[in-house]
Amino acid sequence: MYGLVNRAVEQLVEQHLGPTGWARVCKQAGIADDGFVAISAYPDQMTYKLVGAVSQEMGMSPEQVLEAFGEYWIMYTAEEGYADLLQTAGTSLREFLGNLDQMHSRIETVFAQMVAPVFSVEDEGPGRYVLLYQSQREGLAPMVVGLVKGLAKRFDQPIAIEQLPSRAGFAGVFRIQEA
Amino acid sequence: MIHLTEAELAQAFPFYLALNPEGQIYKAGVSLCKAFPSLAAGQYFEDCFAIVRPKVATVQELAAQHDVALVVQARQQGALRLRGNILVRAEGLLLLLSPVLTSSEEMQAAGLGMGDFAFHDASGDMLLMHRTNQMSLADANRLASRLRNKSKQLDTVMRLSPDGLAYFGADGVLNYANPSFQRLLGLSTEQLDHLQRRDFEVWLQTAQVPACPSLAQMLDTHLPLHLSFNVPYRRVIELQGATADEEGGVVLYLRDITAEVEANRLKTEFLTMAAHELRTPLASIRGFSELLVSRPVPAAMQQDMLATINRQSVNMTELIEDLLSLSKLDELTRDKLKLANHDLRELLEMAVSSSFAGADDFLVTRDYQVEQCLVQVDRHVMLKLFSSLFSNVIKFSPEHKQVDLQLRPQMRGDAAGVLLSIRDHGIGMKPEQLEHAFERFYRADHSGHQPGTGLGLAMSKDIVRLHAGDIALDSRPAAGVTVSIWLPQSSSAVSACPTEHCY
Ligand code: HEM
């Protein structure tokens, strides 16, 4: 994944464990603690190893780490560098989720080798809809939960999100119920 | 013909401007209106914008220039620039514009967001790209500064390392050598400058004894080499090497193992000597006792033999005791000493009176240039040191029986101390004897005429060192020996040990 993702993991870890904590995580993951360059592509394996090491270091499951990371991504990373982009994608959670693909397609011109996820939304009723997530990667569904929770906070819209049994061809199916 | 509805035009070109033949604005795209809220129909284009390119005097002239890029600059609104195409229509000019922005900050300053750009307009992407590049630049700078810090840390480690480290690049030229590398090999800075690996190998072969296998061989076998040098001083150095990188650079690592090699040699020598020293008295004890057991011996001879047996067993006991104290000294560390403040003069006097008790004919002179001389020492151990030194004095002064004791203050760097010298007028030592005098079992006299274990001076050295001092010998044959001992003086003269507890 792009350095942008890995360095967000670094920032999240530093925020909680400080630079020495980050150094420990890197050691555990077997990668250099020099840092990442946002626009450089790194092997996916590196990100997975990092998540594994963070989970050990913080005593959380990898799923919890991914979810925390998803939320952090929205609150800090996307906000820090791509606030304009976030702004164009909608003024409510529902609208934003509907524009996710368009948003990622914008990013694709910057991160040319990006393997972007594909999202679609099915409405079930007022304030109730299903988010469908397709991916070429494994195991990142918990991150989507965190991302959606982060977005909900961003729009100040309390929600409940539950992961439904997945459908063929999808990496995750989530029902979102607005409060 | 492709026709666009006005709505389609507005969606595809949200920054468009339509001018009538008089050069008045009569329609504008929604994003343009957002950026210029004061824009109103009927305003003259040239009142609102200056034409930067092409070089024309009036807006009407643009009609003839419809195939070039148009660049205009707002007269207000932060002088925002817009760029685009000129379409000539019967109704006037249609300017298809888009703002020229180089950062998100500029976009925000213009009151615009990414959603104000048409999908086909890559301006937004450019801004994202710019933002990401900025971020990446910051990342790269951070990475570089971390690496710089790391390399600084490594540099310090290498600079302070007692071990030698050097790196020959793939081109075979010396790229880096730490100070210890230079020192251990005794190379000058000029020699290191642009040193080629080839030349270094040649130098190695000639400088050290005996010649070692080549560096290339060592890199193949991964076995360390032991290099021996005699110049400028004797030393043994272990050389290890490894290929450092994919390009074929080589790292060399040097460690001074002189002390280890020496310690090993001394250990072997010590065991051999100790065995030898024990065997000599044992052989005579055994020989004489066998004689006494196996056949009758005249009473006078018997007496002689028994006396020898007795003398030799005393010698052996002495030797064994010395060996034991030596091994105790080996284990003794400074924190195990019973240190207390003692007046060095008093300790000396005590040792003099017990050591010279049986040698009334000895003259002991004193030259104490210190008032009171407090040192922090283990009294028992110090007395042992003095009596060992005095017994040497007696042993090696068969004729001129005099010993001169001198005490005077002496600084070592910032440390105040006292220098004790014990000078005899005995047979003295030759330079080569002097050189080995502190080695265990070394005896200046191999004739066997002088009793003793050859451990005395080795022990003395250990004792003085334990007290953070140093000891030196000076001598010429037939001119006696001077032993100089420097000891640090107690910093707190007040904590002097009360006399009644000292003795
Ligand atoms: C401005 C904000 C965003 C930026 C700049 C961004 C950028 C990226 C980048 C660079 C990747 C890595 C892809 C790769 O290296 O191949 C990624 C992956 C991902 N993004 Fe976004 N993203 C943003 C917002 C979002 C949001 C709001 C969501 C919400 C659901 C989201 C969901 C994901 C997911 C799930 C992945 C994992 C990729 C996979 O499943 O293969 N992103 N994004």
Side-chain angles (χ1 to χ4, degrees):
Chain A
M1 277 207 247
Y2 273 98
L4 186 70
V5 176
N6 295 329
R7 82 198 252 293
V9 178
E10 174 184 347
Q11 285 162 348
L12 172 67
V13 171
E14 285 218 337
Q15 199 182 65
H16 287 274
L17 304 174
T20 48
W22 171 244
R24 280 200 303 276
V25 165
C26 287
K27 202 162 172 198
Q28 173 123 22
I31 56 179
D33 64 353
D34 308 323
F36 307 93
V37 175
I39 203 157
S40 244
Y42 298 84
D44 278 5
Q45 213 41 44
M46 209 178 224
T47 315
Y48 285 113
K49 275 193 202 152
L50 271 179
V51 170
V54 176
S55 113
Q56 290 233 345
E57 189 62 39
M58 296 183 58
M60 294 159 74
S61 69
E63 290 75 21
Q64 286 171 315
V65 173
L66 280 171
E67 186 177 326
F69 175 68
E71 213 172 314
Y72 181 86
W73 178 264
I74 299 298
M75 308 301 282
Y76 296 95
T77 316
E79 193 59 46
E80 173 202 1
Y82 302 93
D84 316 320
L85 189 63
L86 287 181
Q87 236 136 42
T88 59
T91 50
S92 70
L93 179 63
R94 171 64 190 86
E95 187 192 353
F96 192 101
L97 293 178
N99 288 334
L100 264 181
D101 267 6
Q102 187 192 314
M103 194 201 70
H104 269 120
S105 75
R106 262 258 153 84
I107 303 163
E108 267 169 346
T109 48
V110 179
F111 301 99
Q113 300 161 48
M114 173 164 175
V115 188
V118 176
F119 289 98
S120 51
V121 187
E122 288 173 357
D123 287 301
E124 290 191 337
R128 184 181 163 93
Y129 37 87
V130 170
L131 176 70
L132 297 151
Y133 159 56
Q134 283 169 282
S135 170
Q136 307 204 30
R137 297 191 173 89
E138 304 248 314
L140 298 181
M143 185 169 105
V144 176
V145 175
L147 284 161
V148 173
K149 284 185 176 170
L151 287 171
K153 280 193 187 155
R154 187 183 146 78
F155 292 112
D156 209 3
Q157 275 182 286
I159 55 148
I161 175 167
E162 92 183 277
Q163 190 168 355
L164 304 177
S166 197
R167 302 185 200 165
F170 290 90
V173 180
F174 312 86
R175 171 171 297 124
I176 295 154
Q177 173 74 61
E178 292 177 4
Chain B
M1 274 295 258
I2 300 171
H3 287 283
L4 289 183
T5 64
E6 223 175 275
E8 284 166 340
L9 175 74
Q11 195 179 29
F13 301 99
F15 293 92
Y16 85 91
L17 260 180
L19 311 182
N20 64 18
E22 282 70 48
Q24 284 169 300
I25 297 169
Y26 72 90
K27 273 220 167 81
V30 44
S31 298
L32 193 80
C33 293
K34 195 170 165 197
F36 300 97
S38 58
L39 212 64
Q43 276 179 314
Y44 281 96
F45 175 81
E46 282 172 86
D47 290 342
C48 307
F49 298 96
I51 301 168
V52 180
R53 218 170 269 138
K55 295 287 167 226
V56 291
T58 63
V59 70
Q60 282 77 14
E61 287 174 52
L62 283 179
Q65 304 263 356
H66 57 86
D67 50 352
V68 300
L70 169 70
V71 179
V72 300
Q73 183 160 19
R75 296 199 190 277
Q76 287 154 7
Q77 261 305 342
L80 183 66
R81 277 188 178 212
L82 298 125
R83 193 180 54 204
N85 293 58
I86 308 160
L87 300 188
V88 185
R89 289 281 172 274
E91 314 84 71
L93 295 178
L94 187 59
L95 309 181
L96 303 180
L97 300 167
S98 181
V100 179
L101 297 168
T102 55
S103 70
S104 321
E105 290 74 24
E106 271 184 38
M107 174 173 76
Q108 277 157 14
L112 296 170
M114 298 249 299
D116 298 317
F117 294 84
F119 293 136
H120 67 82
D121 186 344
S123 298
D125 302 37
M126 289 260 302
L127 296 184
L128 279 183
M129 181 66 107
H130 179 256
R131 187 82 195 88
T132 309
N133 281 344
Q134 270 184 328
M135 226 189 248
S136 297
L137 185 65
D139 288 346
N141 281 334
R142 195 174 48 238
L143 215 128
S145 101
R146 283 179 182 172
L147 286 176
R148 250 197 316 276
N149 268 342
K150 261 194 197 163
S151 94
K152 257 193 204 153
Q153 286 161 9
L154 272 180
D155 216 56
T156 313
V157 170
M158 299 219 268
R159 207 156 29 79
L160 297 179
S161 164
D163 299 336
L165 281 161
Y167 172 69
F168 281 97
D171 55 358
V173 180
L174 182 71
N175 226 306
Y176 174 84
N178 71 349
S180 291
F181 185 86
Q182 188 173 354
R183 177 179 51 79
L184 289 174
L185 294 181
L187 288 165
S188 68
T189 311
E190 292 73 48
Q191 276 173 302
L192 286 183
D193 207 23
H194 294 106
L195 181 62
Q196 297 273 344
R197 207 175 117 186
R198 267 197 325 273
D199 299 337
F200 178 65
E201 291 199 35
V202 173
W203 177 86
L204 262 187
Q205 297 290 336
T206 48
Q208 52 97 35
V209 281
C212 64
S214 72
L215 275 189
Q217 255 172 297
M218 177 199 55
L219 291 173
D220 279 348
T221 56
H222 299 289
L223 290 174
L225 297 180
H226 286 183
L227 315 174
S228 304
F229 295 92
N230 285 330
V231 204
Y233 58 94
R234 255 194 62 200
R235 62 209 190 278
V236 184
I237 285 160
E238 185 179 81
L239 167 65
Q240 274 178 288
T243 315
D245 46 42
E246 278 117 46
E247 282 99 52
V250 167
V251 166
L252 297 183
Y253 170 74
L254 300 179
R255 197 165 65 94
D256 189 340
I257 56 166
T258 316
E260 271 164 58
V261 170
E262 187 67 1
N264 258 329
R265 185 184 68 78
L266 284 177
K267 202 164 102 191
T268 317
E269 216 172 88
F270 178 83
L271 289 174
T272 319
M273 300 277 259
H276 176 76
E277 294 288 323
L278 284 169
R279 204 168 48 189
T280 316
L282 207 54
S284 72
I285 291 172
R286 190 173 160 186
F288 285 122
S289 59
E290 266 173 13
L291 267 178
L292 286 171
V293 169
S294 59
R295 66 171 111 114
V297 178
M301 265 178 84
Q302 203 176 7
Q303 193 53 38
D304 257 10
M305 287 179 173
L306 284 173
T308 308
I309 289 176
N310 180 257
R311 198 178 61 245
Q312 297 289 32
S313 57
V314 168
N315 272 354
M316 263 179 75
T317 315
E318 208 178 283
L319 178 64
I320 287 169
E321 257 158 27
D322 272 1
L323 280 174
L324 284 176
S325 354
L326 199 63
S327 78
K328 265 191 217 145
L329 265 181
D330 275 349
E331 278 168 25
L332 198 59
T333 46
R334 194 171 159 77
D335 56 304
K336 288 194 193 134
L337 290 175
K338 295 193 185 78
L339 294 178
N341 282 333
H342 295 281
D343 190 335
L344 195 55
R345 293 176 313 180
E346 286 175 28
L347 291 182
L348 268 177
E349 287 313 317
M350 288 176 73
V352 165
S353 56
S354 65
S355 296
F356 293 96
D360 295 338
D361 48 348
F362 237 94
L363 175 64
V364 182
T365 75
R366 294 161 181 84
D367 171 18
Y368 295 165
Q369 303 169 15
V370 283
E371 278 282 288
Q372 190 198 22
C373 181
L374 285 187
V375 283
Q376 217 185 30
V377 295
D378 184 316
R379 175 171 166 272
H380 176 73
V381 174
M382 264 299 144
L383 287 175
K384 204 174 161 77
L385 164 70
F386 293 147
S387 63
S388 159
L389 292 175
F390 289 151
S391 87
N392 275 350
V393 166
I394 295 170
K395 230 184 281 172
F396 296 107
S397 304
E399 278 163 22
H400 191 159
K401 294 176 191 267
Q402 180 180 336
V403 62
D404 307 321
L405 305 181
Q406 194 190 50
L407 278 177
R408 58 193 163 84
Q410 193 179 73
M411 298 290 287
R412 289 276 156 98
D414 288 339
V418 58
L419 188 72
L420 160 66
S421 59
I422 302 172
R423 172 167 186 233
D424 66 42
H425 301 265
I427 58 173
M429 285 178 164
K430 297 193 199 98
E432 64 270 25
Q433 293 174 325
L434 210 53
E435 195 185 325
H436 299 285
F438 287 113
E439 290 175 15
R440 293 175 178 187
F441 289 115
Y442 181 77
R443 294 232 211 140
D445 172 47
H446 287 289
S447 64
H449 296 321
Q450 292 297 344
T453 58
L455 293 172
L457 276 173
M459 278 198 279
S460 306
K461 186 167 184 175
D462 288 348
I463 291 172
V464 174
R465 279 214 177 143
L466 276 173
H467 286 88
D470 59 51
I471 183 168
L473 274 185
D474 190 23
S475 176
R476 256 153 295 145
V481 173
T482 306
V483 182
S484 307
I485 295 173
W486 183 85
L487 289 170
Q489 219 157 345
S490 296
S491 42
S492 52
V494 277
S495 63
C497 159
T499 320
E500 60 269 30
H501 290 161
C502 281
Y503 308 111

